[in-house]
Structure formats: C-alpha cells, structure tokens
Amino acid sequence: MRILYGSVILLILFHNAIAQKDLRPGYIITLEMDTVKGLVNYAPGSIKECEFQVQESSAVQIYDPETINGFGYFEEDQYFHSFSLPSPDSKPVKIFAEILLRGKASLFLYEDFFYLQKDTVRERIEKVQMREANQANGRYVYAHKTYIGTLNRYFSDCLPAKLLKGDVSYTEKDFVEVFRKYSECSNVDYHAYKTPRQKRMIIYQVLAGFNNSSIKFPNRETDIFNSDNNFFIGGGLIIPLLLIGNRIFLTAELAYHRNKYRGKKEGYTVASAIQKDYIMDVRVIKLPVGIKLNLGEGLVTPYLKGGLTPFLPLKTKWIIGYQGHSEIEYDVKEKTASLVFWGGIGFQRKINARQALFLDFRMEKLIDYIGFYGPNGATNIPSSVLNKMLVFGFNF
C-alpha cells in the first residue's frame, strides 16, 4: 500500500506539472465562416493567438487573427473576433478583440478600450480628454468625458440624449447596458455575451475507494490486530460557497465501510497453551463533511479537503476462534468518537462544463473508538483508528 500511495502522490504532482494549458470546450470560426468545435486554450487578457485542438488526442493548432475569423468558449459564452484596429495610417493591425454585445451597434473590448461598430463604421471610444477653460479668476484644466459625446453622436437617432449624460461610466457593465437599450429601442435583436446559463448550485458525485485501516489499543493484551484493507462505495454532494469565494465548497458524503481486523493471541486449554484467532468485524456508515478548496481553475484542478466524520454503527462483532472455528462472539459497539478528523489532497479533471473525474488521498484519525458489551457488561476501551484512503469518483 505504501508503494501505491507514493505512486498516487507522484501522479498528482505529475498532473500538476503538465497542466499548463487550460483547454476548454469551444470553437473557431474559419475565414469561410464555418464553425469547428473542439478545445480552446483559455488565456485571459489581450489575446494574440488562439491555441485549438479538435479533440484531446489531436495536435495543437495555433491561429492568429489573419488565419481565422474568431474563436469562442461555450461555457463562458465568450467570443473573440478578428478585426483591424482603426488606424490613421495605411497599415491597419489585425487583433482578436472580445465582443461584448452584438446588435444594432456592436461593442468590442481590447486592451482596456471599448470599440464601437455601427454599419460600416468602427471607432475606438476614448475615455477622458483633458480640456482647458478660461474663467474670470483664471485658467484651469478639467476632465471631459469624451465617450459621452461619442455615444450621443451614434445613438441619438433612437436613445434620448438624457440617457447618455454623465451617469454612464467607462465600464463594461454600463456600456453593455447602453448598447442593449439602443438595440431594443431600434427593435433589433441582440446578443449580450458573457451571460452563460445559470450554473446548478449542487454538484452530485458517486465515489469509491480503498482504505488501509489500522486500530491501536494502549493495552498490550488487546493491541493485537493487524491492519485491514477494504473497498468502499458511496455518494455525496458539493455545494459552492459563493459568498466566500468561487473556489470554496462545502462537501458532504455517505459511504459504507466494512473492516475485518485480524490478530492472534495465546490461549490455554487444560492440556496446554494454544494460539487463538481474533477477528473484529466492523460495519459502519460514515458521513464525512468538510470544506474543499480548489487551488486553481482549469482543465485539471488540484484541491485540498478536510473536515469531520460523524458515523453510524451498523453491526460489529469480536470473534475468538481456534483452527478456523468460532468459539466465542462478543457484541461490540462503536462509541461516538470524540475526535474524528480527516484531510486530503487531490485533483479533478474536467470532462465537460458539468462533469469531472476526481482522485484524492485522505487520512482520517478516530480517537476513543470501541466499547464492549461482553460477559462482564459494558466496558469502554481507549483506542484509535488511522485510515489511509485512496478515493476516486465522478462529479456530475
């Protein structure tokens, strides 16, 4: 098991090392206006080229604004269009500009400047221009919102001028709202980008895993059990804690576990000493709850998890046997453990916008675990359990 856990950690580090590209479901628009679906590398900010794969196994193709008409991302509802920057000289430069709204007049964003396109005209909307004015008490310089005049000049055929006074700021939110109103009052359909479908708040998961469990007693006479390896299955929920951040989640799981701890102890008959087999058969439903923290965003995302593990005892037996035959059975009852902590590290890999595979390694510590109901009545025995778990599953 140590080799297996070591291999898992190396696998996680390997995935983190190679996960440099954030390939997301998207598409390109060719110069012939054909749409080709595939995976597009997500690169925020000003984009000079598009890295595209038809599928994961295919080679990465790199396109610049001269070779395609544009590209976009499905989940984020973003589109980057290839067009020539307005230029006073005869050598226009082609770039990928993000389109924020397409309608009666279209709005683009490139390097913190907005661009307006209406009919055959494309113009950069200047932010603020410094102007001088003469007053009776002297000369002073003031900031003039140049963009207000630009918007009034292009939208005065429909929007009342009072809507375009100084209450419009040079921000994406305000500009999209003005362009939206202009298309509506012109009775022209429009598409405001970056408005993806509402994401589902709850993510469901199915999971399974392997558990290496060891139980320890401070009393040497009962500290005889070997570690047990078992397979478990379960399911769970992941709920985004959006009020705290978009990388923090509440997790809750339910899983069925069965451990068989085996040991040997010297016993006695009338004739001589014999070696007897001890088996502790534990069946329990665990309900791990905790916090998940994503350490990034992308196709492959590492994360940390940790929390508490309430559990529901089902049926547990302490069996003493000899030469394969059971001689004595005691009922055993798990106490509600006073300290049940777990923590882990792992990564998830996106399949599409809603689905992902995940793999993580966890450690769980339970203190004050076992209570007896044997021939002498109820007896509590201090104990501890250490679980080392490899958990894998599917989020949907």
Side-chain angles (χ1 to χ4, degrees):
M1 289 299 292
R2 291 181 179 177
I3 296 176
L4 176 60
Y5 293 146
S7 300
V8 171
I9 294 174
L10 289 175
L11 180 62
I12 292 172
L13 295 175
F14 176 74
H15 269 273
N16 291 341
I18 65 172
Q20 298 176 356
K21 296 186 185 300
D22 185 1
L23 294 170
R24 303 188 182 186
Y27 57 94
I28 61 171
I29 306 294
T30 67
L31 296 178
E32 294 77 26
M33 300 305 293
D34 295 325
T35 301
V36 182
K37 297 180 181 179
L39 298 171
V40 182
N41 187 37
Y42 187 78
S46 300
I47 300 174
K48 302 187 183 313
E49 59 185 21
C50 167
E51 296 183 61
F52 178 75
Q53 284 179 283
V54 176
Q55 53 188 0
E56 289 186 32
S57 58
S58 60
V60 175
Q61 303 174 60
I62 298 178
Y63 297 98
D64 60 35
E66 299 283 351
T67 54
I68 58 174
N69 197 54
F71 66 92
Y73 305 95
F74 286 120
E75 182 180 352
E76 294 76 11
D77 191 26
Q78 281 183 280
Y79 180 69
F80 293 83
H81 182 62
S82 169
F83 75 73
S84 299
L85 285 176
S87 175
D89 56 33
S90 58
K91 296 180 179 180
V93 178
K94 266 203 165 185
I95 50 88
F96 283 125
E98 181 180 3
I99 183 167
L100 303 177
L101 185 142
R102 191 193 300 271
K104 174 68 173 177
S106 295
L107 175 65
F108 295 86
L109 175 64
Y110 180 74
E111 289 188 343
D112 298 327
F113 277 95
F114 294 112
Y115 290 81
L116 177 149
Q117 180 170 305
K118 182 180 177 183
D119 300 324
T120 59
V121 177
R122 181 178 295 134
E123 180 177 329
R124 187 168 90 166
I125 307 175
E126 300 296 337
K127 298 179 182 179
V128 175
Q129 183 176 349
M130 305 306 294
R131 293 190 175 180
E132 294 184 358
N134 294 317
Q135 296 288 341
N137 57 349
R139 190 176 185 83
Y140 75 98
V141 178
Y142 69 97
H144 173 70
K145 294 182 178 180
T146 308
Y147 62 88
I148 296 295
T150 303
L151 295 176
N152 274 306
R153 176 158 46 92
Y154 282 102
F155 295 165
S156 60
D157 60 322
C158 186
L159 278 183
K162 64 180 182 180
L163 293 178
L164 299 178
K165 290 188 177 179
D167 57 346
V168 177
S169 59
Y170 201 92
T171 63
E172 182 177 322
K173 179 181 177 181
D174 281 15
F175 267 52
V176 168
E177 183 65 11
V178 169
F179 277 67
R180 180 188 66 80
K181 288 179 178 178
Y182 181 60
S183 291
E184 287 180 347
C185 75
S186 303
N187 293 318
V188 174
D189 291 336
Y190 67 90
H191 182 159
Y193 288 84
K194 297 171 75 171
T195 55
R197 297 185 300 272
Q198 184 67 30
K199 292 185 178 180
R200 188 175 59 197
M201 289 299 294
I202 298 178
I203 302 168
Y204 301 97
Q205 62 179 185
V206 292
L207 59 90
F210 299 96
N211 179 24
N212 174 261
S213 182
S214 57
I215 186 167
K216 295 294 181 182
F217 298 93
N219 187 327
R220 290 186 178 181
E221 291 186 2
T222 53
D223 194 15
I224 58 175
F225 293 100
N226 297 319
S227 298
D228 175 64
N229 298 317
N230 68 87
F231 179 79
F232 61 90
I233 58 174
L237 303 173
I238 301 175
I239 303 174
L241 299 178
L242 298 178
L243 294 178
I244 301 177
N246 60 0
R247 296 186 182 183
I248 302 178
F249 304 83
L250 175 67
T251 69
E253 299 174 4
L254 183 149
Y256 172 76
H257 289 255
R258 182 179 183 182
N259 293 94
K260 273 193 173 183
Y261 305 101
R262 301 175 185 272
K264 294 185 181 294
K265 186 178 178 182
E266 193 174 69
Y268 299 91
T269 65
V270 176
S272 62
I274 60 173
Q275 193 175 68
K276 293 192 174 184
D277 300 318
Y278 279 61
I279 299 175
M280 185 181 295
D281 189 350
V282 181
R283 306 178 194 188
V284 65
I285 290 179
K286 293 184 180 180
L287 305 166
V289 293
I291 297 295
K292 175 186 175 187
L293 172 62
N294 285 354
L295 300 179
E297 292 182 349
L299 187 67
V300 178
T301 302
Y303 58 79
L304 299 175
K305 298 174 77 172
L308 302 174
T309 306
F311 62 88
L312 176 64
L314 296 179
K315 183 179 181 181
T316 303
K317 294 185 295 184
W318 187 313
I319 304 168
I320 301 176
Y322 174 63
Q323 293 184 343
H325 299 285
S326 298
E327 294 184 347
I328 303 173
E329 291 187 10
Y330 294 120
D331 291 329
V332 181
K333 180 182 179 181
E334 295 86 359
K335 295 176 60 182
T336 301
S338 56
L339 292 173
V340 188
F341 295 119
W342 65 272
I345 182 173
F347 68 89
Q348 65 184 26
R349 198 226 189 255
K350 280 187 178 180
I351 299 175
N352 53 41
R354 292 186 180 274
Q355 301 172 345
L357 299 174
F358 70 89
L359 174 70
D360 61 57
F361 172 72
R362 305 180 192 175
M363 296 188 70
E364 181 182 64
K365 183 75 172 180
L366 296 86
I367 307 295
D368 200 12
Y369 185 57
I370 297 296
F372 272 108
Y373 285 85
N376 300 320
T379 305
N380 294 327
I381 299 180
S383 59
S384 65
V385 173
L386 179 64
N387 293 320
K388 301 175 183 177
M389 293 174 282
L390 178 66
V391 186
F392 53 90
F394 175 62
N395 296 335
F396 62 95

